[in-house]
Amino acid sequence: MKFPKIISVSGNMPYAVKEMKKYLSLISESEFSNTGFPIKLTAGDGLSESFCVDIDNNSISINSESQRGLLYGVYSFLEKLGVRFLAHDEEYLPKVNEININSYSSMPDFAYRDLYWRGALDGAFSVKCRLNSTRAYTTKDMGDTIRFYNYSHTFDELIPPDEYFDSHPEYFSYFNGKRQKKHSQICMTNPEVLNICTNKVLKWMRDNPNHQIFSVAQNDWYGGCECDNCKRIDEKEGSQSATLILFVNAIADAIKEEFPNNKIHTFAYLHTRKAPKTIVPRDNVIIRLCPIECCKSHPLGECDYVIDGINVENNCADAFKRTNYSFITDLKEWSEITNHLHIWDYTTNYSNYLQPFPNLSVQKHNLKLYKKYGVEGMLMQGNYSPGKTSAFANLRIYLLSKLLWDTEEDERSLIEEFVEHYYGMPAKEHILSCLKTLESTAQKHHMGIFDMPNSPYLDEYTLNKADIHLKLAIDNTRDEKHLTRIKRERLSIIYAKLVRLPLDTLDRDNLVDNFAKQIDELGIKELFERRELNASIECIKNSQYALNRHNVPYEFYRL
Ligand SMILES: [Zn+2]
Ligand SMILES: [Zn+2]
């Protein structure tokens, strides 16, 4: 039908009404009046984020059980009209003369959809992406959603080693012949530990009535307890997740009466990744399984390669020691014993944020696999540093947010429309060629999330070819906004080429200084995850492949 000349938008959610009117006025010549063509927006007070869009010649109505679902319905309808919410700093707004849409309904493939990327945390943009990330900066009027109180590692917070270790070493993990304070976990069969943790979790819940999920989860390293009590249970159950689930279940039971709608979250991660044989998580427990060791260039389930860890000597999360365990087996086994299986996936290189991480083509396969195993929630962690991002981060956010809602989306057309609108038509084919160049080499090798710039998929030929495509994209682009974006993406290739230069290369230090100037101008604030920037630049000067990092201080900020 022809786009109505006069429209009346009404509804019981002011933010949704405001957004609908704002975008309709941007894409059409329509005016607004109470007597115009009715568009009715109705939200219930439930939780489901599904929505229905009913269209006929006399009216359009969008309905959802929840406010957030209604808002998603509004943005989805606008997308059907041709609008594209590409990034926090870009939207595509066509001129629309007709409405040729049939009635439809939509529901998300994953109930929880979180992109832990800085560019996806902008509240207004995150709701346009239909993300319900707990840490996005959304406001109450955008409709409330699932809230994690603390969604990560918490053992050190529950039983702080500095507070308890000297008086109660038995509260902490026993391994290598003694109770350990550093890079340790807690002894989960100790009843006093359970008592302290239960009381602390109850306090969290009483103090934070707007949150529904509370994390009781291991610290970000190995070091599970091997005392006689813990070991006996874990050995019988075939995994150190056994004592963890018994412990978490006990807390889940203790909070249930006072907080029947709350859940306890824990990780199946590193030494607890494998499910126990007979112990089953309670209904109010969320298991978040982490494929940190898995190869990222090949589809999950088709490559069992475990990436070699680094920092093996300090017991940390990047010191992968597991071999001969199939992630898919773990996924399957957890999916059989819980209805609340979440995944914490990794979608960038953390040792080198700027380094190309060319694996867009496996994302759809992986998300479909997670859906097949009944995964309820997806958190996809990326570069969450405070500054701007390179390595096509905004493209990744766009693609992943669409696939998180609907794993059947056509990833090729999503990538193409993003590239066209975000970098401009003159650059489109060159950018696509650059992506293809990087990705086709990466597919010939395994890829991990801590890979260094001497990785085989970053060979001279591939980097030079990718760089030529980006230079052509730059040469063809006149628009200043597009030009800045392409230059920022090119930093990724410049970085990889620069750090690979031998230390005795003529003028290498000046090249590094010039690179530092460029990243400053283009807003990049961090090169290695949570490591100080100036010291990172010095590290590039002092070591080929930026390998020598022990002098680069950590900055342990939390979002
Ligand atoms: Zn123990
Ligand atoms: Zn692989």
Side-chain angles (χ1 to χ4, degrees):
M1 65 176 164
K2 277 252 169 288
F3 213 95
K5 282 205 163 55
I6 302 172
I7 295 174
S8 160
V9 182
S10 63
N12 62 354
M13 182 182 178
Y15 190 86
V17 171
K18 188 187 84 181
E19 288 290 273
M20 181 65 105
K21 286 171 87 167
K22 173 186 162 186
Y23 283 98
L24 289 182
S25 63
L26 286 168
I27 61 173
S28 74
E29 304 294 328
S30 299
E31 289 172 13
F32 297 96
S33 155
N34 289 342
T35 56
F37 179 88
I39 297 182
K40 293 179 210 153
L41 311 178
T42 312
D45 55 6
L47 291 172
S48 165
E49 295 184 341
S50 305
F51 57 83
C52 291
V53 180
D54 291 302
I55 302 175
D56 60 37
N57 287 332
N58 302 315
S59 70
I60 293 172
S61 62
I62 304 179
N63 297 283
S64 173
E65 263 186 42
S66 68
Q67 292 205 333
R68 189 55 83 79
L70 175 66
L71 194 54
Y72 298 151
V74 168
Y75 295 128
S76 159
F77 172 75
L78 292 165
E79 285 177 336
K80 294 264 184 195
L81 291 174
V83 174
R84 291 292 177 267
F85 305 105
L86 296 153
H88 63 283
D89 57 357
E90 187 63 272
E91 292 176 344
Y92 171 67
L93 302 165
K95 283 291 167 216
V96 179
N97 301 311
E98 291 193 330
I99 301 179
N100 290 319
I101 307 169
N102 295 322
S103 298
Y104 69 101
S105 60
S106 188
M107 64 184 292
D109 279 347
F110 302 100
Y112 184 68
R113 305 168 304 282
D114 189 341
L115 291 185
Y116 192 8
W117 278 87
R118 178 63 60 174
L121 296 176
D122 176 290
F125 177 59
S126 79
V127 292
K128 288 169 186 164
C129 292
R130 283 173 256 163
L131 297 170
N132 50 14
S133 318
T134 201
R135 293 200 177 176
Y137 302 111
T138 51
T139 47
K140 197 90 183 151
D141 56 347
M142 296 173 188
D144 214 357
T145 183
I146 305 162
R147 293 274 164 212
F148 280 73
Y149 166 64
N150 48 3
Y151 70 176
S152 193
H153 313 281
T154 57
F155 277 3
D156 265 3
E157 201 177 331
L158 287 163
I159 308 277
D162 285 342
E163 188 181 335
Y164 286 105
F165 188 83
D166 289 346
S167 52
H168 290 286
E170 75 278 12
Y171 288 1
F172 296 86
S173 286
Y174 177 95
F175 58 89
N176 292 342
K178 59 174 186 177
R179 297 284 170 179
Q180 303 278 349
K181 183 177 181 186
K182 192 164 184 255
H183 287 141
S184 184
Q185 307 286 350
I186 53 181
C187 178
M188 290 181 285
T189 52
N190 182 310
E192 287 170 34
V193 168
L194 175 61
N195 197 31
I196 295 168
C197 291
T198 303
N199 287 330
K200 211 166 241 186
V201 172
L202 279 167
K203 184 173 173 359
W204 285 347
M205 291 187 175
R206 287 168 191 149
D207 291 348
N208 296 279
N210 296 327
H211 295 75
Q212 302 84 35
I213 302 171
F214 295 78
S215 186
V216 177
Q218 69 201 56
N219 299 320
D220 197 5
W221 42 74
Y222 291 88
C225 187
E226 297 168 12
C227 76
D228 289 345
N229 284 341
C230 290
K231 201 172 173 179
R232 189 165 27 85
I233 297 168
D234 288 336
E235 280 188 350
K236 201 170 131 221
E237 289 285 326
S239 170
Q240 286 189 300
S241 64
T243 41
L244 172 68
I245 300 306
L246 287 175
F247 181 76
V248 167
N249 278 351
I251 296 176
D253 288 344
I255 60 101
K256 196 173 179 179
E257 196 179 317
E258 189 176 341
F259 298 100
N261 297 319
N262 284 1
K263 290 194 174 71
I264 303 290
H265 155 273
T266 198
F267 283 127
Y269 177 51
L270 304 175
H271 54 287
T272 60
R273 205 189 77 182
K274 187 173 173 50
K277 278 184 195 151
T278 66
I279 297 165
V280 173
R282 295 282 193 266
D283 284 343
N284 57 344
V285 168
I286 288 173
I287 303 293
R288 187 134 59 178
L289 176 63
C290 310
I292 192 168
E293 308 89 344
C294 296
C295 169
K296 302 298 180 197
S297 58
H298 298 132
L300 269 175
E302 292 177 19
C303 174
D304 257 353
Y305 186 79
V306 177
I307 305 299
D308 286 336
I310 52 174
N311 293 337
V312 175
E313 73 284 354
N314 72 7
N315 214 27
C316 277
D318 46 10
F320 312 135
K321 288 178 287 193
R322 294 174 54 93
T323 48
N324 306 324
Y325 288 99
S326 154
F327 177 77
I328 300 300
T329 305
D330 293 350
L331 173 64
K332 185 169 172 288
E333 287 179 1
W334 283 111
S335 76
E336 284 163 0
I337 59 171
T338 176
N339 291 323
H340 302 300
L341 181 57
H342 287 218
I343 300 287
W344 182 304
D345 205 350
Y346 306 85
T347 59
T348 195
N349 181 308
Y350 298 88
S351 300
N352 304 275
Y353 273 151
L354 258 54
Q355 186 164 305
F357 197 69
N359 70 347
L360 293 179
S361 61
V362 304
Q363 301 304 322
K364 178 169 170 165
H365 167 97
N366 291 357
L367 287 167
K368 283 178 76 158
L369 189 83
Y370 288 136
K371 190 191 166 203
K372 182 180 136 193
Y373 283 104
V375 167
E376 181 182 60
M378 286 297 309
L379 182 147
M380 306 188 89
Q381 185 186 0
N383 177 348
Y384 54 93
S385 69
K388 301 277 188 190
T389 42
S390 177
F392 298 101
N394 289 308
L395 167 60
R396 190 175 290 268
I397 290 168
Y398 186 70
L399 177 70
L400 292 179
S401 65
K402 292 282 179 282
L403 290 171
L404 283 175
W405 184 272
D406 178 4
T407 53
E408 294 298 334
E409 283 263 14
D410 176 6
E411 82 246 75
R412 205 57 242 161
S413 57
L414 290 171
I415 291 171
E416 287 185 12
E417 72 185 13
F418 181 91
V419 170
E420 179 176 326
H421 297 308
Y422 198 70
Y423 305 107
M425 200 50 147
K428 180 178 172 182
E429 288 312 316
H430 302 297
I431 301 267
L432 291 173
S433 298
C434 167
L435 292 167
K436 195 174 162 202
T437 299
L438 293 168
E439 194 124 345
S440 58
T441 304
Q443 280 165 5
K444 294 177 193 143
H445 302 273
H446 303 294
M447 186 169 86
I449 63 169
F450 298 111
D451 285 352
M452 298 307 285
N454 52 358
S455 300
Y457 52 89
L458 298 175
D459 61 85
E460 225 55 44
Y461 171 78
T462 302
L463 290 173
N464 284 334
K465 194 171 163 193
D467 202 21
I468 287 168
H469 290 306
L470 290 185
K471 278 189 209 153
L472 284 169
I474 287 170
D475 290 347
N476 277 290
T477 300
R478 296 285 164 271
D479 182 285
E480 278 301 321
K481 185 174 67 179
H482 294 153
L483 206 53
T484 302
R485 288 174 183 163
I486 303 166
K487 284 181 179 169
R488 196 176 287 123
E489 306 302 3
R490 190 173 167 233
L491 287 176
S492 167
I493 307 295
I494 293 174
Y495 171 77
K497 287 174 71 171
L498 177 65
V499 293
R500 293 167 59 87
L501 292 175
L503 288 191
D504 59 2
T505 304
L506 188 69
D507 242 10
R508 192 179 187 276
D509 279 4
N510 285 336
L511 292 172
V512 178
D513 285 335
N514 189 35
F515 167 74
K517 205 168 140 244
Q518 285 182 65
I519 62 167
D520 182 53
E521 282 166 6
L522 289 163
I524 307 283
K525 303 251 184 269
E526 204 170 297
L527 295 176
F528 317 148
E529 185 188 13
R530 291 188 298 190
R531 305 286 281 267
E532 206 261 311
L533 180 60
N534 288 334
S536 304
I537 296 289
E538 282 309 304
C539 156
I540 297 171
K541 275 190 187 167
N542 298 332
S543 61
Q544 194 185 16
Y545 309 121
L547 292 175
N548 189 0
R549 297 185 176 194
H550 57 268
N551 285 330
V552 185
Y554 282 92
E555 293 182 324
F556 278 119
Y557 60 85
R558 263 182 139 171
L559 268 182

